[in-house]
Amino acid sequence: MLIATNAWGHVEKRPSKRKIGTMLADLDQDDHLILERQDESQEGSWYIQVLFRETNTYQLEHRDGVPAEHYQTQTVSQEKVLQALLDWAAHKPAWREGFMWTNIGHWFTPTRENEDDPTV
């Protein structure tokens, strides 16, 4: 099931294309929108999220199941972000195109020296 959540905690189950577009357009600076796939048969976290930054840019991130597969990009184009969100939601394989993605998975995975430390 697809779930959309905004910065204020509003949750929309099975959001329509129009609803996703409205939620994106309603973002103020430093607000975010998350689209998440919840499927009990699939392990891990599967989502795409966008943060509207103070610099009037959109920071787009996605995770493919595990922390090591977490990627980020930025753009000034709300239209490109909307198309990526809609295509991701529709399982269209080309949704990543048109962006320069950086793997930031190392931000979310413990380093070897800390992997036995439960406080990390």
Side-chain angles (χ1 to χ4, degrees), residues 45 52 61 73 102:
S45 297
F52 186 43
E61 297 183 14
T73 191
T102 301

mmCIF file of all heavy atoms in Angstrom, residues 45 52 61 73 102:
data_model
loop_
_atom_site.group_PDB
_atom_site.id
_atom_site.type_symbol
_atom_site.label_atom_id
_atom_site.label_comp_id
_atom_site.label_asym_id
_atom_site.label_seq_id
_atom_site.Cartn_x
_atom_site.Cartn_y
_atom_site.Cartn_z
ATOM 1 N N SER A 45 12.707 -0.901 4.190
ATOM 2 C CA SER A 45 12.010 0.376 4.019
ATOM 3 C C SER A 45 12.125 0.807 2.571
ATOM 4 O O SER A 45 13.226 0.922 2.030
ATOM 5 C CB SER A 45 12.642 1.452 4.907
ATOM 6 O OG SER A 45 12.504 1.126 6.260
ATOM 7 N N PHE A 52 11.701 20.514 0.886
ATOM 8 C CA PHE A 52 11.799 21.818 0.229
ATOM 9 C C PHE A 52 12.712 22.681 1.089
ATOM 10 O O PHE A 52 12.346 23.091 2.184
ATOM 11 C CB PHE A 52 10.415 22.436 0.065
ATOM 12 C CG PHE A 52 10.413 23.708 -0.738
ATOM 13 C CD1 PHE A 52 11.146 23.836 -1.902
ATOM 14 C CD2 PHE A 52 9.644 24.787 -0.324
ATOM 15 C CE1 PHE A 52 11.132 25.005 -2.645
ATOM 16 C CE2 PHE A 52 9.621 25.968 -1.050
ATOM 17 C CZ PHE A 52 10.372 26.072 -2.212
ATOM 18 N N GLU A 61 15.188 12.197 -1.995
ATOM 19 C CA GLU A 61 15.898 11.015 -1.526
ATOM 20 C C GLU A 61 15.019 9.788 -1.729
ATOM 21 O O GLU A 61 13.798 9.892 -1.718
ATOM 22 C CB GLU A 61 16.234 11.124 -0.035
ATOM 23 C CG GLU A 61 17.164 12.249 0.296
ATOM 24 C CD GLU A 61 17.536 12.302 1.782
ATOM 25 O OE1 GLU A 61 17.290 11.315 2.505
ATOM 26 O OE2 GLU A 61 18.069 13.335 2.206
ATOM 27 N N THR A 73 19.503 13.540 -4.252
ATOM 28 C CA THR A 73 19.788 14.478 -5.324
ATOM 29 C C THR A 73 19.090 15.794 -4.989
ATOM 30 O O THR A 73 18.296 15.854 -4.051
ATOM 31 C CB THR A 73 19.313 13.929 -6.691
ATOM 32 O OG1 THR A 73 19.851 14.754 -7.741
ATOM 33 C CG2 THR A 73 17.807 13.884 -6.786
ATOM 34 N N THR A 102 23.407 10.564 -5.622
ATOM 35 C CA THR A 102 24.563 10.256 -4.789
ATOM 36 C C THR A 102 24.134 9.244 -3.735
ATOM 37 O O THR A 102 23.127 9.464 -3.055
ATOM 38 C CB THR A 102 25.085 11.541 -4.081
ATOM 39 O OG1 THR A 102 25.426 12.503 -5.079
ATOM 40 C CG2 THR A 102 26.278 11.236 -3.211
#
